[in-house]
Amino acid sequence: MALTLLTLGLWASTALSQTSSSVFDFPEYPPPGTPDPNSTLGQSVSALPYGIGNDSQLSQARIHYDTGTFGPQIELVHAYYNYWPTGVGVASDGTIFTCFPRGNETFTLAVFNSSTSEAAWPNEEWNTPPAFANVSNPGYSIATDKLIFVQSVVVDGIDRVWALDTGRPRVNGTYLLAAVPGGPKLVGFYLNGTSFVTYTFPDYVVYADSSINDVRFDLRGGGYAYITDSSPYHPALVVVDLATGESWRHLDGHVAVTPDPNFVPVYDGVPFYYHPIIPPNAIQFMSAFAADGIALSADGEYIYVTPLTSRHLYRVPTSYLKQQPSSVNPYAALLAHEAVQTLGEFGGHADGLETDSTGYIYVGSQEHNAIHRYNATTGIVEPFIRSPFIQWADTLSVVTLQNGGGTYLYFTSNQLWLAPDYQNGTDLRTKPYAMFRVPTVGGRATQTD
Ligand SMILES: *[C@@H]1O[C@H](CO)[C@@H](O)[C@H](O)[C@H]1NC(C)=O
Ligand SMILES: *[C@@H]1O[C@H](CO)[C@@H](O)[C@H](O)[C@H]1NC(C)=O
Ligand SMILES: *[C@@H]1O[C@H](CO)[C@@H](O)[C@H](O)[C@H]1NC(C)=O
Ligand SMILES: *[C@@H]1O[C@H](CO)[C@@H](O)[C@H](O)[C@H]1NC(C)=O
Ligand SMILES: *[C@@H]1O[C@H](CO)[C@@H](O)[C@H](O)[C@H]1NC(C)=O
Ligand SMILES: *[C@@H]1O[C@H](CO)[C@@H](O)[C@H](O)[C@H]1NC(C)=O
Ligand SMILES: *[C@@H]1O[C@H](CO)[C@@H](O)[C@H](O)[C@H]1NC(C)=O
Ligand SMILES: *[C@@H]1O[C@H](CO)[C@@H](O)[C@H](O)[C@H]1NC(C)=O
Ligand SMILES: *[C@@H]1O[C@H](CO)[C@@H](O)[C@H](O)[C@H]1NC(C)=O
């Protein structure tokens, strides 16, 4: 084994020292920030591996090793000591919005009011529905203008804040109530907290057991919103015509939005099986999570999507999604299904996806404590950042900060698979949860006229 490692180490050094014709030349290998590949074991680890490592000569050996890190340094921007976060949206003035899936949390949409605390946004009233459960309709939540369970908060290309409400609160820490129309909604706010629109959905667009998860906006013309339905029962996309408020579904049951049934991911090196909190507590494959993250290409021509539990990336031309399936447009659903492009595997699996103005599609890579980026010109997933501190990059948000403040990718790191839901009721997460940012070349893709 030691011999094999030494051989590999030498081969890697040789490959790296070449300037062309190496398989590692594209796009950039090793990724920026990777420690010097010529480091010796003696420099890299305090204790040499047990065994022949006692040989003092070996401390000079160039044995290739993995530091778990590459790319620009990530910057910790927020430590969450209170609620467990999912979403992040950043305005160009640097205001940072976040959201909390709601059980008994007193607010679900928030703004940072210090580097370690959050406040209800736009205010407590918006975050306080009259009830969560409908006592006269057991198992169901209620219809309300107020925010029930905000799964995602997105700042659009003209600095407006959108809250995507699943309408399905968790009750007693275990299950989600079913939604009724008027519960699930998309609410738009100006930065000053004034709301300007609320879109709700008929029960044949967002079902009682749907789970609307994340959203992206194309503000050109009248505008469209594209939403994932991550329910394993109804994986699909939901499209909203922002001008008319009409909404419809696409890609129902398509593989592009459907979990891989035999998915076994690896987190921090450990193969992971889903151990649900709900009786009979039988261990399952990590396969209950459909399309979650979503990105709109910078030019607005494609929606990129991947099921949370799948290592395949897909995209579909938005021209097909904009067609509302109906009796006057009876082929629209079929044509959208047939228009999906399979982009192949992307070397991991993602929760959040995001775009920047140069056209990159950022993809979380939960199994590698990383975020990568897909280059549509080459069809290759390029390394971007990796750090042991990235413990489930849940949601990604690119922003161009005003007054030369720079361009950044912000992301939450929330240890999702360590939560009680996934661990038979035991909470293996440790506070604080984190939000990081990292500089990007491209800024926000504004997707406006
Ligand atoms: C690694 O060592 C080799 C051999 O000494 C040298 O040619 C090469 O430039 C070194 N690479 C780096 C990145 O320092
Ligand atoms: C190797 O190193 C370990 C830890 O320093 C020590 O306990 C052990 O006795 C050493 N073995 C030999 C053969 O020197
Ligand atoms: C932030 O908001 C929370 C909730 O309203 C409040 O308890 C806390 O005092 C605020 N902290 C700061 C620093 O303003
Ligand atoms: C509660 O359920 C009853 C019975 O289905 C229904 O009539 C009522 O509108 C529901 N209330 C709310 C606030 O959703
Ligand atoms: C939550 O649990 C309490 C105590 O077991 C129970 O009384 C209540 O009905 C439960 N709520 C719902 C909506 O199931
Ligand atoms: C809220 O729910 C969490 C998880 O179910 C539980 O640990 C916590 O004690 C609850 N807090 C309150 C105030 O009920
Ligand atoms: C909030 O901002 C909107 C858009 O800029 C503006 O029309 C509205 O008057 C503002 N409301 C308040 C209360 O300042
Ligand atoms: C993708 O790769 C091409 C070819 O190397 C390069 O020109 C381009 O800058 C890369 N980035 C994007 C966003 O296309
Ligand atoms: C899961 O939790 C339940 C309830 O606490 C317990 O009875 C069961 O033994 C646990 N199962 C495993 C495999 O740990």
Side-chain angles (χ1 to χ4, degrees), residues 28-35 69-72 383-384:
E28 187 176 0
Y29 194 90
T34 308
T69 302
F70 58 65
F384 178 51

Side-chain angles (χ1 to χ4, degrees), residues 32-97:
T34 308
D36 179 359
N38 283 350
S39 299
T40 63
L41 267 190
Q43 293 164 333
S44 69
V45 285
S46 52
L48 291 173
Y50 175 78
I52 62 168
N54 281 40
D55 183 339
S56 63
Q57 256 191 317
L58 270 176
S59 67
Q60 298 309 309
R62 290 189 202 122
I63 297 178
H64 200 77
Y65 66 96
D66 174 20
T67 62
T69 302
F70 58 65
Q73 246 194 318
I74 60 172
E75 176 185 347
L76 179 65
V77 294
H78 193 82
Y80 291 90
Y81 285 93
N82 193 11
Y83 302 144
W84 180 76
T86 54
V88 49
V90 186
S92 66
D93 68 0
T95 308
I96 303 176
F97 301 92

Side-chain angles (χ1 to χ4, degrees), residues 88-91 155-156 216 353-357 360 362 396-401 407-411 438 440-445:
V88 49
V90 186
V155 177
D156 71 18
R216 290 294 181 268
L353 305 184
E354 177 63 315
T355 316
D356 75 12
S357 56
Y360 276 118
Y362 294 87
L396 319 180
S397 176
V398 167
V399 66
T400 303
L401 295 175
T407 49
Y408 289 95
L409 173 69
Y410 285 72
F411 58 97
V438 63
T440 49
V441 173
R444 169 163 289 156

Side-chain angles (χ1 to χ4, degrees), residues 32-367:
T34 308
D36 179 359
N38 283 350
S39 299
T40 63
L41 267 190
Q43 293 164 333
S44 69
V45 285
S46 52
L48 291 173
Y50 175 78
I52 62 168
N54 281 40
D55 183 339
S56 63
Q57 256 191 317
L58 270 176
S59 67
Q60 298 309 309
R62 290 189 202 122
I63 297 178
H64 200 77
Y65 66 96
D66 174 20
T67 62
T69 302
F70 58 65
Q73 246 194 318
I74 60 172
E75 176 185 347
L76 179 65
V77 294
H78 193 82
Y80 291 90
Y81 285 93
N82 193 11
Y83 302 144
W84 180 76
T86 54
V88 49
V90 186
S92 66
D93 68 0
T95 308
I96 303 176
F97 301 92
T98 193
C99 56
F100 306 110
R102 175 129 68 178
N104 52 22
E105 287 77 3
T106 56
F107 51 90
T108 180
L109 178 60
V111 66
F112 292 164
N113 63 352
S114 84
S115 55
T116 54
S117 62
E118 311 87 31
W121 195 86
N123 52 42
E124 284 177 15
E125 193 194 334
W126 263 101
N127 279 273
T128 312
F132 290 111
N134 184 342
V135 286
S136 47
N137 195 10
Y140 285 80
S141 186
I142 64 162
T144 172
D145 295 342
K146 304 291 193 300
L147 301 170
I148 298 175
F149 180 129
V150 177
Q151 177 69 47
S152 184
V153 54
V154 171
V155 177
D156 71 18
I158 51 172
D159 261 349
R160 300 178 304 185
V161 184
W162 295 88
L164 184 69
D165 188 345
T166 67
R168 301 186 60 197
R170 293 165 57 92
V171 168
N172 290 337
T174 54
Y175 63 93
L176 299 171
L177 290 178
V180 291
K185 55 192 167 290
L186 182 59
V187 186
F189 298 94
Y190 296 118
L191 265 188
N192 61 17
T194 304
S195 87
F196 61 89
V197 73
T198 294
Y199 299 102
T200 58
F201 307 92
D203 62 3
Y204 53 86
V205 173
V206 172
Y207 301 117
D209 58 356
S210 281
S211 239
I212 48 176
N213 191 282
D214 206 350
V215 57
R216 290 294 181 268
F217 296 89
D218 189 347
L219 301 180
R220 285 168 275 226
Y224 291 89
Y226 301 96
I227 299 170
T228 48
D229 184 344
S230 66
S231 161
Y233 315 110
H234 304 293
L237 300 182
V238 171
V239 183
V240 185
D241 180 332
L242 298 177
T244 65
E246 280 199 83
S247 55
W248 54 88
R249 295 172 71 85
H250 266 304
L251 305 190
D252 265 290
H254 193 286
V255 66
V257 291
T258 303
D260 172 348
N262 309 116
F263 194 65
V264 181
V266 172
Y267 302 129
D268 291 348
V270 181
F272 181 77
Y273 299 84
Y274 174 42
H275 199 163
I277 190 174
I278 296 168
N281 307 95
I283 294 172
Q284 299 171 12
F285 290 113
M286 176 76 169
S287 57
F289 308 94
D292 185 306
I294 184 168
L296 176 68
S297 63
D299 62 10
E301 295 301 316
Y302 292 97
I303 279 291
Y304 285 78
V305 70
T306 175
L308 177 71
T309 49
S310 159
R311 298 192 188 93
H312 291 80
L313 186 63
Y314 303 86
R315 70 178 186 180
V316 57
T318 47
S319 56
Y320 289 89
L321 300 178
K322 289 174 185 169
Q323 304 297 320
Q324 178 174 10
S326 73
S327 56
V328 297
N329 206 351
Y331 311 114
L334 303 181
L335 289 170
H337 264 246
E338 292 163 11
V340 174
Q341 300 173 9
T342 304
L343 305 177
E345 293 211 7
F346 62 102
H349 83 96
D351 189 328
L353 305 184
E354 177 63 315
T355 316
D356 75 12
S357 56
T358 69
Y360 276 118
I361 305 296
Y362 294 87
V363 294
S365 195
Q366 317 305 37
E367 296 175 279

